[in-house]
Amino acid sequence: MYQHSDKHLVAVDCIIFGFEKGSLKLLLVKRKIEPCCGEWSLMGGFLFENESLDEAASRILKQLTGLENVYLRQFHAYGEMQRDPAARVISVAYFALIKIREHDYTLVQEYDARWFPFAEKPALIFDHDTMVAAALDRLRLEAKTHPVGFELLPEKFTLPQFQSLYECIYQRKLDNRNFRKSILSTGILEKLDEKDRTGSKKGAWLYRFDKNNYRELLTKGFRFNLTISE
Amino acid sequence: MYQHSDKHLVAVDCIIFGFEKGSLKLLLVKRKIEPCCGEWSLMGGFLFENESLDEAASRILKQLTGLENVYLRQFHAYGEMQRDPAARVISVAYFALIKIREHDYTLVQEYDARWFPFAEKPALIFDHDTMVAAALDRLRLEAKTHPVGFELLPEKFTLPQFQSLYECIYQRKLDNRNFRKSILSTGILEKLDEKDRTGSKKGAWLYRFDKNNYRELLTKGFRFNLTISE
DNA sequence: CCAAAAGTGTTGACCGTACACCCATGA
DNA sequence: TCATGGGTGTACGGTCAACACTTTTGG
């Protein structure tokens, strides 16, 4: 079947988001092959004959971070003729949300990779800047209607941290009273009996994402909906 | 470069939406090649060496409908190993919104294609049912925040038609007073001095999408936002 | 005791939603 | 004159947005 049709190189590129010290970060690698060897790029790789696109994305993410079973979503396929000057390559882009503290630092070093705060991101090869911009758009969309913030924070986190994450994602100051009200009113945060005193002398209460209650609420028709007006 | 990497067949499949006689429709073709010859499927084709994904989608849409420059958006790439039993094929899915009256009926006949009301859609080959469901989800998302309804209606249309379209998309009855209020308040509809009397004896006023005013409004920070609660 | 971050309530404006009757016309 | 679909306005409740001071504690 289909013998006479053209075949193509298919790549998968991963936009890897993290959050640390109050800023949203991006994991980038220094490219080791031509063309554009030595320049910054997204982590990517070619699709194998015997794996699905999702499997390829997981494989590539694991290669660089050591992580599995993290939040990873396809968001767009890029297929312009000249996007890679060396060859005609179709690239399917995925974005991942990971907890920075949990990834494998040694792997990142091996790959000559680095975490960049979003604001300090260098120019990337090919159409990777476009991909990053699209991924951020998608993240913004997701973060309003799904509790994805938790994917980027450690298991225990404070409300000021949580708010700061949203402020990074939307590049905007939020009112802390309104933010707390709306996030707490969802009932998906579990307040712990511990404080985090690294950020202040008074200390901030730690919370945990109550996944079970979230699932429970979903079945009752609840929809996560943080209102952040554009 | 990249000599040792696997190459793949890449297809593009189009979910083609239309709206006619108060129902949302889907343009499907009867497949002419094995496997699954004779079964209903989406219109698709393989990506050529010398065209981008978007170009392939336009080409394939034009092949079947004769239309160019219509609303056409990529929404997902499908890459499961076994999705096509005959070969390993990556498929990039696009959805199109067209005005049924404007398409080329003879082409559709040549291809053994047919418009199906959404509710009467037959089972499709491979993962095409999944694609259709995903496309509808995407259409619902789009229709809330972008004035895509106009892509499916003739240039001049009545408010009852417009409302009926939204009722089809969201599978729900809407209150006509509220619907009119919200759509008219956007200021992107231009009321014409004509009535359409095909639907009733009284006749309904015809409107036209005021594209220029819409663009104008966008620059002023306006965002289309029809509130249709899930 | 002071600096620095955490935490806490109220009000007004706007928006979404619910709801029922009259109008115009051709048959 | 009647059946059919087209068109119209209001009131209530809930949600969003704006806003400033007190608390805690380590240094």
Side-chain angles (χ1 to χ4, degrees):
Chain A
M1 292 299 113
Y2 318 144
Q3 292 91 341
H4 303 297
S5 302
D6 298 332
K7 287 191 154 196
H8 306 266
L9 289 168
V10 175
V12 166
D13 286 305
C14 292
I15 289 87
I16 305 171
F17 289 102
F19 181 70
E20 196 182 39
K21 300 199 189 105
S23 69
L24 189 65
K25 297 186 174 182
L26 206 53
L27 185 53
L28 301 173
V29 301
K30 203 173 263 178
R31 192 166 155 99
K32 292 224 176 86
I33 57 171
E34 289 299 339
C36 305
C37 188
E39 294 185 46
W40 291 103
S41 102
L42 295 170
M43 180 67 181
F46 288 105
L47 177 68
F48 297 155
E49 187 60 45
N50 63 350
E51 65 182 352
S52 70
L53 286 169
D54 289 353
E55 284 162 359
S58 298
R59 167 174 62 79
I60 288 162
L61 182 69
K62 187 178 175 192
Q63 241 175 58
L64 181 59
T65 64
L67 297 173
E68 286 179 282
N69 300 317
V70 299
Y71 186 95
L72 182 62
R73 296 284 183 279
Q74 190 203 114
F75 69 93
H76 198 75
Y78 292 82
E80 291 305 310
M81 287 294 305
Q82 304 301 334
R83 51 174 298 281
D84 180 333
R88 204 289 158 85
V89 180
I90 306 299
S91 173
V92 182
Y94 281 73
F95 76 102
L97 307 180
I98 73 169
K99 305 184 207 294
I100 290 193
R101 307 268 308 269
E102 293 183 0
H103 84 283
D104 188 329
Y105 291 83
T106 58
L107 281 174
V108 164
Q109 285 193 324
E110 276 174 39
Y111 276 91
D112 247 328
R114 228 189 94 186
W115 284 98
F116 287 88
F118 224 83
E120 299 162 27
K121 175 185 80 63
L124 305 179
I125 62 166
F126 306 171
D127 49 2
H128 288 195
D129 285 315
T130 311
M131 292 183 181
V132 169
L136 182 59
D137 273 354
R138 193 63 165 261
L139 172 58
R140 285 179 174 153
L141 202 65
E142 280 294 286
K144 270 185 205 166
T145 51
H146 296 96
V148 293
F150 308 109
E151 307 289 342
L152 291 163
L153 293 166
E155 190 173 323
K156 301 173 183 180
F157 52 86
T158 67
L159 289 187
Q161 275 179 323
F162 195 52
Q163 179 178 341
S164 153
L165 170 57
Y166 272 78
E167 290 178 337
C168 285
I169 293 177
Y170 295 100
Q171 289 298 316
R172 175 139 40 92
K173 278 277 162 229
L174 301 174
D175 180 274
N176 67 336
R177 287 163 286 188
N178 293 336
F179 185 82
R180 283 165 166 270
K181 219 183 312 168
S182 60
I183 189 64
L184 287 175
S185 72
T186 61
I188 62 178
L189 288 193
E190 183 187 356
K191 186 175 182 176
L192 303 177
D193 240 359
E194 276 176 87
K195 279 193 163 185
D196 169 14
R197 298 190 187 271
T198 60
S200 75
K201 323 196 165 170
K202 183 179 179 184
W205 290 106
L206 286 164
Y207 289 79
R208 186 194 294 154
F209 176 40
D210 190 339
K211 214 167 208 167
N212 289 330
N213 191 231
Y214 174 59
R215 271 197 272 267
E216 176 76 14
L217 287 168
L218 280 185
T219 64
K220 292 180 189 156
F222 164 83
R223 289 285 165 273
F224 182 81
N225 212 336
L226 259 195
T227 55
I228 291 170
S229 50
E230 294 291 311
Chain B
M1 291 301 114
Y2 317 147
Q3 292 91 342
H4 304 297
S5 302
D6 297 333
K7 287 190 152 196
H8 306 266
L9 289 168
V10 175
V12 166
D13 287 304
C14 291
I15 289 86
I16 305 171
F17 289 103
F19 181 69
E20 196 183 38
K21 300 200 188 101
S23 71
L24 189 66
K25 297 186 174 181
L26 206 53
L27 183 55
L28 301 173
V29 300
K30 203 172 262 178
R31 193 168 154 98
K32 291 222 174 86
I33 58 171
E34 291 296 343
C36 305
C37 188
E39 293 185 46
W40 290 103
S41 104
L42 295 170
M43 180 67 181
F46 287 105
L47 177 68
F48 297 155
E49 186 62 42
N50 62 350
E51 65 182 355
S52 70
L53 286 168
D54 289 353
E55 285 162 358
S58 298
R59 168 174 61 80
I60 287 161
L61 182 68
K62 186 178 178 193
Q63 239 174 58
L64 181 59
T65 64
L67 297 173
E68 287 179 283
N69 300 318
V70 298
Y71 186 97
L72 181 63
R73 295 284 183 280
Q74 190 203 115
F75 68 93
H76 198 74
Y78 293 83
E80 291 305 308
M81 286 296 303
Q82 304 300 333
R83 49 174 300 280
D84 180 333
R88 205 290 157 88
V89 180
I90 307 300
S91 174
V92 182
Y94 281 73
F95 77 102
L97 307 180
I98 72 170
K99 307 185 205 295
I100 289 194
R101 307 266 309 270
E102 294 183 1
H103 83 283
D104 187 330
Y105 290 83
T106 58
L107 282 173
V108 164
Q109 284 192 327
E110 277 174 38
Y111 275 92
D112 246 331
R114 227 187 95 186
W115 285 97
F116 287 89
F118 224 83
E120 298 161 27
K121 175 184 80 63
L124 305 179
I125 62 166
F126 306 170
D127 50 1
H128 287 195
D129 285 315
T130 311
M131 291 183 183
V132 169
L136 182 59
D137 273 354
R138 194 62 165 261
L139 173 58
R140 285 179 175 153
L141 204 64
E142 280 294 286
K144 270 184 207 168
T145 51
H146 296 96
V148 293
F150 308 109
E151 307 289 341
L152 292 162
L153 292 167
E155 191 174 322
K156 301 173 182 182
F157 52 86
T158 67
L159 288 186
Q161 276 179 323
F162 195 52
Q163 180 178 341
S164 154
L165 169 58
Y166 272 78
E167 289 178 339
C168 284
I169 293 176
Y170 295 101
Q171 289 296 314
R172 175 140 40 92
K173 279 275 163 233
L174 301 174
D175 181 273
N176 67 337
R177 286 164 289 189
N178 295 335
F179 184 81
R180 285 167 163 270
K181 217 182 318 167
S182 58
I183 189 65
L184 287 175
S185 73
T186 60
I188 61 178
L189 288 193
E190 182 187 356
K191 186 176 182 176
L192 303 177
D193 240 0
E194 278 175 86
K195 278 193 164 187
D196 170 15
R197 295 187 191 276
T198 59
S200 75
K201 321 189 168 175
K202 182 180 179 183
W205 291 105
L206 284 165
Y207 288 79
R208 186 195 294 153
F209 176 38
D210 190 341
K211 215 167 208 168
N212 289 331
N213 191 230
Y214 174 59
R215 270 197 272 267
E216 176 75 15
L217 287 168
L218 280 186
T219 64
K220 292 180 190 157
F222 164 82
R223 289 285 165 276
F224 184 82
N225 212 337
L226 261 194
T227 54
I228 291 171
S229 49
E230 294 291 308

